[in-house]
Amino acid sequence: QQQQQTNKTMPADAKIIDILSKENKDAAPFVSLEYFPPRTAEGVKNLYARMERMKTTLEPSFTDVTWGAGGSTADLSMEIALQAHNTGHIANLHMTCTNIANSQDPKKDIEAALTQAYQGGIRNIVALRGDPPAGQEEWKAAEGGFTCALDLVKFIRNELTFGKELGVSVAGYPEGHPNAISKVDDVSKLTATEQLRSSEFDGVTYACLDADYQKELAYLKEKVDAGADFIITQMFFDADVYIQ
């Protein structure tokens, strides 16, 4: 009942792209937060208290809420995102192609989740393919569902009645998507750009090769052309990789 009352008084969130466009004019840095669903009820309680404190002290431009692999945290992710919105955060809800665990109709379930978010005042979605569920090494599309983030962006923009009202962001990978990174047998044959993107783990070198990287960029452009407003990158530690 308290949450329903809050929903009535809180206006719909602004689109993040509009916030960033305005703030970029000042050339000042901005802060965003990202939370993942805790495993326990006590953890959720502590998270809500922390979210309130961090909103006050850091004044984030927006707040991301992640979606568990295979839709494993779907209900709780939605609850946290709505809590964020209802307490003054600009919520940015992650949504994956495998939206609900053990779903019978993946597309309908994703539409229902997007509708719930929209009706709750959320106006920003991160459209993602998603990670494999726990215990599964490779990601597989659910039967009758979306096969990639591009499908999800197109669905939001072209098939939802309110799709044009949502801000949509997508993922970018400065070092290459994990699925596009290869083991390197001869480091001396790497190009300068491949060397920049390479990393070493347990004495073995890995890199996203130039040909694969170009495919990654082409796919990223497809997502933007389909209606994504901006790109959120995977974490990286070398600014030159991002600039490249």
Side-chain angles (χ1 to χ4, degrees):
Q1 183 178 2
Q2 181 179 1
Q3 184 173 348
Q4 291 176 348
Q5 291 175 349
T6 306
N7 280 345
K8 292 180 181 179
T9 59
M10 289 298 297
D13 286 336
K15 287 186 179 181
I16 293 170
I17 185 61
D18 295 332
I19 296 172
L20 299 185
S21 298
K22 179 180 179 181
E23 293 187 0
N24 282 344
K25 292 180 180 178
D26 301 328
F30 60 87
V31 174
S32 66
L33 305 175
E34 180 171 303
Y35 298 112
F36 59 89
R39 296 180 181 274
T40 65
E42 185 65 22
V44 173
K45 180 180 178 181
N46 292 337
L47 174 62
Y48 287 167
R50 185 170 290 108
M51 286 169 61
E52 183 65 25
R53 293 196 300 270
M54 294 182 76
K55 180 175 70 70
T56 301
T57 58
L58 298 176
E59 299 182 349
S61 297
F62 60 92
T63 297
D64 282 69
V65 179
T66 66
W67 201 266
S72 57
T73 66
D75 292 339
L76 185 53
S77 293
M78 182 67 70
E79 176 189 316
I80 293 171
L82 290 171
Q83 171 73 12
H85 164 75
N86 292 333
T87 53
H89 293 258
I90 302 295
N92 196 27
L93 177 61
H94 292 209
M95 187 71 62
T96 71
C97 292
T98 48
N99 183 49
I100 309 295
N102 301 316
S103 172
Q104 299 301 311
D105 190 337
K107 290 185 179 180
K108 185 171 290 186
D109 287 337
I110 287 177
E111 181 176 4
L114 289 166
T115 300
Q116 182 182 358
Y118 176 80
Q119 291 177 344
I122 293 172
R123 291 295 182 271
N124 297 282
I125 300 293
V126 187
L128 303 164
R129 187 200 70 177
D131 296 323
Q136 185 175 310
E137 291 186 7
E138 295 184 5
W139 185 89
K140 295 181 180 179
E143 184 175 352
F146 301 114
T147 61
C148 60
L150 176 60
D151 289 345
L152 183 52
V153 175
K154 290 179 177 179
F155 177 78
I156 292 172
R157 289 303 191 213
N158 302 325
E159 298 189 40
L160 288 182
T161 57
F162 52 87
K164 299 293 191 295
E165 298 178 54
L166 295 176
V168 178
S169 53
V170 293
Y173 300 86
E175 295 175 339
H177 190 280
N179 290 354
I181 293 177
S182 305
K183 177 182 175 182
V184 177
D185 294 321
D186 188 348
V187 178
S188 67
K189 293 183 178 180
L190 292 176
T191 66
T193 51
E194 290 170 344
Q195 289 178 4
L196 187 61
R197 291 191 298 270
S198 68
S199 59
E200 186 176 312
F201 182 74
D202 285 346
V204 180
T205 299
Y206 298 88
C208 182
L209 304 181
D210 288 338
D212 293 326
Y213 198 71
Q214 289 305 311
K215 294 176 183 177
E216 290 285 296
L217 290 176
Y219 176 63
L220 181 59
K221 184 177 185 301
E222 283 190 82
K223 291 192 288 186
V224 173
D225 290 344
D229 294 310
F230 65 98
I231 301 161
I232 298 178
T233 71
Q234 177 70 290
M235 182 181 293
F236 59 91
F237 297 99
D238 189 337
D240 289 336
V241 173
Y242 173 77
I243 295 170
Q244 168 190 278

mmCIF file of all heavy atoms in Angstrom, residues 66-98:
data_model
loop_
_atom_site.group_PDB
_atom_site.id
_atom_site.type_symbol
_atom_site.label_atom_id
_atom_site.label_comp_id
_atom_site.label_asym_id
_atom_site.label_seq_id
_atom_site.Cartn_x
_atom_site.Cartn_y
_atom_site.Cartn_z
ATOM 1 N N THR A 66 20.966 -4.171 -11.855
ATOM 2 C CA THR A 66 21.292 -5.273 -12.754
ATOM 3 C C THR A 66 20.237 -6.370 -12.707
ATOM 4 O O THR A 66 19.433 -6.447 -11.783
ATOM 5 C CB THR A 66 22.670 -5.879 -12.436
ATOM 6 O OG1 THR A 66 22.620 -6.494 -11.141
ATOM 7 C CG2 THR A 66 23.744 -4.811 -12.438
ATOM 8 N N TRP A 67 20.284 -7.225 -13.733
ATOM 9 C CA TRP A 67 19.318 -8.313 -13.913
ATOM 10 C C TRP A 67 20.114 -9.609 -13.893
ATOM 11 O O TRP A 67 21.012 -9.792 -14.704
ATOM 12 C CB TRP A 67 18.631 -8.126 -15.256
ATOM 13 C CG TRP A 67 17.316 -8.809 -15.426
ATOM 14 C CD1 TRP A 67 17.107 -10.034 -15.973
ATOM 15 C CD2 TRP A 67 16.031 -8.288 -15.099
ATOM 16 N NE1 TRP A 67 15.766 -10.327 -15.996
ATOM 17 C CE2 TRP A 67 15.073 -9.256 -15.463
ATOM 18 C CE3 TRP A 67 15.587 -7.097 -14.513
ATOM 19 C CZ2 TRP A 67 13.713 -9.080 -15.280
ATOM 20 C CZ3 TRP A 67 14.236 -6.913 -14.331
ATOM 21 C CH2 TRP A 67 13.311 -7.892 -14.712
ATOM 22 N N GLY A 68 19.811 -10.512 -12.999
ATOM 23 C CA GLY A 68 20.594 -11.730 -12.820
ATOM 24 C C GLY A 68 20.640 -12.601 -14.064
ATOM 25 O O GLY A 68 19.739 -12.573 -14.907
ATOM 26 N N ALA A 69 21.690 -13.381 -14.188
ATOM 27 C CA ALA A 69 21.873 -14.272 -15.335
ATOM 28 C C ALA A 69 20.668 -15.185 -15.503
ATOM 29 O O ALA A 69 20.196 -15.786 -14.539
ATOM 30 C CB ALA A 69 23.141 -15.108 -15.155
ATOM 31 N N GLY A 70 20.177 -15.259 -16.738
ATOM 32 C CA GLY A 70 19.046 -16.123 -17.016
ATOM 33 C C GLY A 70 17.742 -15.664 -16.387
ATOM 34 O O GLY A 70 16.797 -16.425 -16.262
ATOM 35 N N GLY A 71 17.668 -14.388 -15.979
ATOM 36 C CA GLY A 71 16.453 -13.896 -15.338
ATOM 37 C C GLY A 71 16.289 -14.352 -13.912
ATOM 38 O O GLY A 71 15.192 -14.311 -13.345
ATOM 39 N N SER A 72 17.388 -14.769 -13.285
ATOM 40 C CA SER A 72 17.321 -15.375 -11.953
ATOM 41 C C SER A 72 16.897 -14.400 -10.863
ATOM 42 O O SER A 72 16.438 -14.823 -9.797
ATOM 43 C CB SER A 72 18.673 -15.997 -11.594
ATOM 44 O OG SER A 72 19.708 -15.035 -11.667
ATOM 45 N N THR A 73 17.066 -13.103 -11.088
ATOM 46 C CA THR A 73 16.687 -12.116 -10.068
ATOM 47 C C THR A 73 15.587 -11.188 -10.571
ATOM 48 O O THR A 73 15.456 -10.066 -10.099
ATOM 49 C CB THR A 73 17.901 -11.270 -9.637
ATOM 50 O OG1 THR A 73 18.332 -10.459 -10.754
ATOM 51 C CG2 THR A 73 19.049 -12.146 -9.175
ATOM 52 N N ALA A 74 14.806 -11.645 -11.530
ATOM 53 C CA ALA A 74 13.848 -10.772 -12.217
ATOM 54 C C ALA A 74 12.948 -9.998 -11.250
ATOM 55 O O ALA A 74 12.847 -8.769 -11.323
ATOM 56 C CB ALA A 74 13.003 -11.597 -13.186
ATOM 57 N N ASP A 75 12.276 -10.696 -10.338
ATOM 58 C CA ASP A 75 11.327 -10.034 -9.439
ATOM 59 C C ASP A 75 12.029 -9.039 -8.527
ATOM 60 O O ASP A 75 11.553 -7.917 -8.326
ATOM 61 C CB ASP A 75 10.570 -11.071 -8.612
ATOM 62 C CG ASP A 75 9.622 -11.915 -9.455
ATOM 63 O OD1 ASP A 75 9.254 -11.480 -10.557
ATOM 64 O OD2 ASP A 75 9.271 -13.028 -9.009
ATOM 65 N N LEU A 76 13.157 -9.455 -7.964
ATOM 66 C CA LEU A 76 13.863 -8.576 -7.038
ATOM 67 C C LEU A 76 14.496 -7.392 -7.761
ATOM 68 O O LEU A 76 14.508 -6.272 -7.236
ATOM 69 C CB LEU A 76 14.928 -9.367 -6.273
ATOM 70 C CG LEU A 76 15.676 -8.602 -5.171
ATOM 71 C CD1 LEU A 76 14.706 -7.951 -4.199
ATOM 72 C CD2 LEU A 76 16.619 -9.548 -4.428
ATOM 73 N N SER A 77 15.019 -7.610 -8.955
ATOM 74 C CA SER A 77 15.579 -6.495 -9.734
ATOM 75 C C SER A 77 14.505 -5.442 -9.993
ATOM 76 O O SER A 77 14.752 -4.238 -9.864
ATOM 77 C CB SER A 77 16.159 -6.999 -11.054
ATOM 78 O OG SER A 77 17.295 -7.804 -10.842
ATOM 79 N N MET A 78 13.319 -5.913 -10.359
ATOM 80 C CA MET A 78 12.212 -4.979 -10.598
ATOM 81 C C MET A 78 11.850 -4.231 -9.323
ATOM 82 O O MET A 78 11.649 -3.006 -9.333
ATOM 83 C CB MET A 78 10.999 -5.741 -11.121
ATOM 84 C CG MET A 78 9.799 -4.864 -11.447
ATOM 85 S SD MET A 78 10.089 -3.769 -12.862
ATOM 86 C CE MET A 78 10.111 -4.987 -14.202
ATOM 87 N N GLU A 79 11.781 -4.956 -8.212
ATOM 88 C CA GLU A 79 11.441 -4.328 -6.935
ATOM 89 C C GLU A 79 12.456 -3.247 -6.568
ATOM 90 O O GLU A 79 12.089 -2.141 -6.139
ATOM 91 C CB GLU A 79 11.399 -5.389 -5.835
ATOM 92 C CG GLU A 79 11.141 -4.833 -4.434
ATOM 93 C CD GLU A 79 11.310 -5.878 -3.354
ATOM 94 O OE1 GLU A 79 10.826 -7.008 -3.534
ATOM 95 O OE2 GLU A 79 11.951 -5.567 -2.324
ATOM 96 N N ILE A 80 13.737 -3.549 -6.737
ATOM 97 C CA ILE A 80 14.787 -2.588 -6.388
ATOM 98 C C ILE A 80 14.747 -1.375 -7.309
ATOM 99 O O ILE A 80 14.904 -0.228 -6.867
ATOM 100 C CB ILE A 80 16.171 -3.265 -6.442
ATOM 101 C CG1 ILE A 80 16.275 -4.322 -5.329
ATOM 102 C CG2 ILE A 80 17.295 -2.241 -6.299
ATOM 103 C CD1 ILE A 80 17.511 -5.198 -5.438
ATOM 104 N N ALA A 81 14.519 -1.609 -8.599
ATOM 105 C CA ALA A 81 14.449 -0.492 -9.548
ATOM 106 C C ALA A 81 13.266 0.418 -9.222
ATOM 107 O O ALA A 81 13.384 1.651 -9.270
ATOM 108 C CB ALA A 81 14.343 -1.022 -10.966
ATOM 109 N N LEU A 82 12.129 -0.166 -8.874
ATOM 110 C CA LEU A 82 10.965 0.644 -8.511
ATOM 111 C C LEU A 82 11.202 1.385 -7.194
ATOM 112 O O LEU A 82 10.800 2.544 -7.039
ATOM 113 C CB LEU A 82 9.727 -0.250 -8.402
ATOM 114 C CG LEU A 82 9.212 -0.803 -9.735
ATOM 115 C CD1 LEU A 82 8.124 -1.846 -9.489
ATOM 116 C CD2 LEU A 82 8.704 0.307 -10.642
ATOM 117 N N GLN A 83 11.880 0.717 -6.255
ATOM 118 C CA GLN A 83 12.239 1.384 -5.002
ATOM 119 C C GLN A 83 13.163 2.568 -5.283
ATOM 120 O O GLN A 83 13.002 3.650 -4.696
ATOM 121 C CB GLN A 83 12.920 0.385 -4.064
ATOM 122 C CG GLN A 83 13.533 0.990 -2.799
ATOM 123 C CD GLN A 83 12.503 1.427 -1.779
ATOM 124 O OE1 GLN A 83 11.311 1.081 -1.897
ATOM 125 N NE2 GLN A 83 12.923 2.175 -0.774
ATOM 126 N N ALA A 84 14.119 2.369 -6.183
ATOM 127 C CA ALA A 84 15.022 3.459 -6.542
ATOM 128 C C ALA A 84 14.239 4.634 -7.116
ATOM 129 O O ALA A 84 14.421 5.792 -6.713
ATOM 130 C CB ALA A 84 16.064 2.963 -7.546
ATOM 131 N N HIS A 85 13.357 4.329 -8.059
ATOM 132 C CA HIS A 85 12.539 5.396 -8.656
ATOM 133 C C HIS A 85 11.700 6.107 -7.604
ATOM 134 O O HIS A 85 11.632 7.344 -7.562
ATOM 135 C CB HIS A 85 11.626 4.805 -9.731
ATOM 136 C CG HIS A 85 10.504 5.718 -10.120
ATOM 137 N ND1 HIS A 85 10.701 6.832 -10.918
ATOM 138 C CD2 HIS A 85 9.177 5.706 -9.790
ATOM 139 C CE1 HIS A 85 9.541 7.461 -11.071
ATOM 140 N NE2 HIS A 85 8.611 6.801 -10.400
ATOM 141 N N ASN A 86 11.056 5.330 -6.734
ATOM 142 C CA ASN A 86 10.140 5.905 -5.746
ATOM 143 C C ASN A 86 10.839 6.710 -4.667
ATOM 144 O O ASN A 86 10.189 7.444 -3.913
ATOM 145 C CB ASN A 86 9.315 4.785 -5.093
ATOM 146 C CG ASN A 86 8.350 4.144 -6.072
ATOM 147 O OD1 ASN A 86 7.927 4.772 -7.031
ATOM 148 N ND2 ASN A 86 8.010 2.882 -5.837
ATOM 149 N N THR A 87 12.165 6.571 -4.564
ATOM 150 C CA THR A 87 12.918 7.337 -3.568
ATOM 151 C C THR A 87 13.803 8.405 -4.214
ATOM 152 O O THR A 87 14.728 8.915 -3.580
ATOM 153 C CB THR A 87 13.778 6.397 -2.696
ATOM 154 O OG1 THR A 87 14.587 5.570 -3.538
ATOM 155 C CG2 THR A 87 12.900 5.516 -1.830
ATOM 156 N N GLY A 88 13.528 8.728 -5.470
ATOM 157 C CA GLY A 88 14.180 9.880 -6.084
ATOM 158 C C GLY A 88 15.360 9.599 -6.987
ATOM 159 O O GLY A 88 15.956 10.524 -7.537
ATOM 160 N N HIS A 89 15.735 8.340 -7.159
ATOM 161 C CA HIS A 89 16.774 7.996 -8.132
ATOM 162 C C HIS A 89 16.177 7.998 -9.541
ATOM 163 O O HIS A 89 14.981 7.747 -9.723
ATOM 164 C CB HIS A 89 17.326 6.588 -7.873
ATOM 165 C CG HIS A 89 18.096 6.432 -6.612
ATOM 166 N ND1 HIS A 89 19.472 6.394 -6.567
ATOM 167 C CD2 HIS A 89 17.674 6.271 -5.321
ATOM 168 C CE1 HIS A 89 19.878 6.217 -5.324
ATOM 169 N NE2 HIS A 89 18.811 6.144 -4.545
ATOM 170 N N ILE A 90 17.010 8.261 -10.544
ATOM 171 C CA ILE A 90 16.648 7.996 -11.928
ATOM 172 C C ILE A 90 17.062 6.549 -12.203
ATOM 173 O O ILE A 90 18.238 6.240 -12.359
ATOM 174 C CB ILE A 90 17.361 8.943 -12.905
ATOM 175 C CG1 ILE A 90 17.039 10.401 -12.588
ATOM 176 C CG2 ILE A 90 16.982 8.600 -14.349
ATOM 177 C CD1 ILE A 90 15.589 10.781 -12.783
ATOM 178 N N ALA A 91 16.088 5.639 -12.204
ATOM 179 C CA ALA A 91 16.394 4.215 -12.302
ATOM 180 C C ALA A 91 16.707 3.816 -13.739
ATOM 181 O O ALA A 91 16.007 4.217 -14.675
ATOM 182 C CB ALA A 91 15.218 3.400 -11.784
ATOM 183 N N ASN A 92 17.763 3.025 -13.897
ATOM 184 C CA ASN A 92 18.156 2.485 -15.203
ATOM 185 C C ASN A 92 18.144 0.968 -15.071
ATOM 186 O O ASN A 92 19.103 0.365 -14.591
ATOM 187 C CB ASN A 92 19.546 2.995 -15.596
ATOM 188 C CG ASN A 92 19.852 2.803 -17.060
ATOM 189 O OD1 ASN A 92 18.944 2.765 -17.894
ATOM 190 N ND2 ASN A 92 21.122 2.707 -17.398
ATOM 191 N N LEU A 93 17.044 0.348 -15.488
ATOM 192 C CA LEU A 93 16.825 -1.077 -15.255
ATOM 193 C C LEU A 93 17.441 -1.913 -16.370
ATOM 194 O O LEU A 93 17.122 -1.736 -17.544
ATOM 195 C CB LEU A 93 15.326 -1.355 -15.170
ATOM 196 C CG LEU A 93 14.894 -2.813 -15.007
ATOM 197 C CD1 LEU A 93 15.456 -3.405 -13.720
ATOM 198 C CD2 LEU A 93 13.368 -2.923 -15.033
ATOM 199 N N HIS A 94 18.316 -2.837 -15.997
ATOM 200 C CA HIS A 94 18.883 -3.772 -16.966
ATOM 201 C C HIS A 94 17.810 -4.802 -17.339
ATOM 202 O O HIS A 94 17.081 -5.290 -16.479
ATOM 203 C CB HIS A 94 20.098 -4.483 -16.374
ATOM 204 C CG HIS A 94 21.261 -3.584 -16.139
ATOM 205 N ND1 HIS A 94 22.571 -4.024 -16.177
ATOM 206 C CD2 HIS A 94 21.339 -2.250 -15.869
ATOM 207 C CE1 HIS A 94 23.394 -3.007 -15.948
ATOM 208 N NE2 HIS A 94 22.659 -1.932 -15.739
ATOM 209 N N MET A 95 17.740 -5.122 -18.624
ATOM 210 C CA MET A 95 16.778 -6.108 -19.105
ATOM 211 C C MET A 95 17.485 -7.028 -20.088
ATOM 212 O O MET A 95 18.180 -6.561 -20.993
ATOM 213 C CB MET A 95 15.605 -5.406 -19.794
ATOM 214 C CG MET A 95 14.457 -6.313 -20.188
ATOM 215 S SD MET A 95 13.504 -6.915 -18.762
ATOM 216 C CE MET A 95 12.881 -5.378 -18.072
ATOM 217 N N THR A 96 17.334 -8.329 -19.897
ATOM 218 C CA THR A 96 18.044 -9.280 -20.751
ATOM 219 C C THR A 96 17.066 -10.087 -21.609
ATOM 220 O O THR A 96 15.861 -10.126 -21.353
ATOM 221 C CB THR A 96 18.893 -10.257 -19.923
ATOM 222 O OG1 THR A 96 18.021 -11.160 -19.220
ATOM 223 C CG2 THR A 96 19.771 -9.515 -18.933
ATOM 224 N N CYS A 97 17.622 -10.750 -22.616
ATOM 225 C CA CYS A 97 16.805 -11.558 -23.527
ATOM 226 C C CYS A 97 16.216 -12.775 -22.839
ATOM 227 O O CYS A 97 15.177 -13.297 -23.259
ATOM 228 C CB CYS A 97 17.642 -12.007 -24.722
ATOM 229 S SG CYS A 97 18.134 -10.646 -25.808
ATOM 230 N N THR A 98 16.882 -13.267 -21.818
ATOM 231 C CA THR A 98 16.337 -14.362 -21.010
ATOM 232 C C THR A 98 15.780 -13.744 -19.742
ATOM 233 O O THR A 98 16.384 -13.800 -18.683
ATOM 234 C CB THR A 98 17.419 -15.409 -20.691
ATOM 235 O OG1 THR A 98 18.592 -14.728 -20.212
ATOM 236 C CG2 THR A 98 17.764 -16.201 -21.918
#
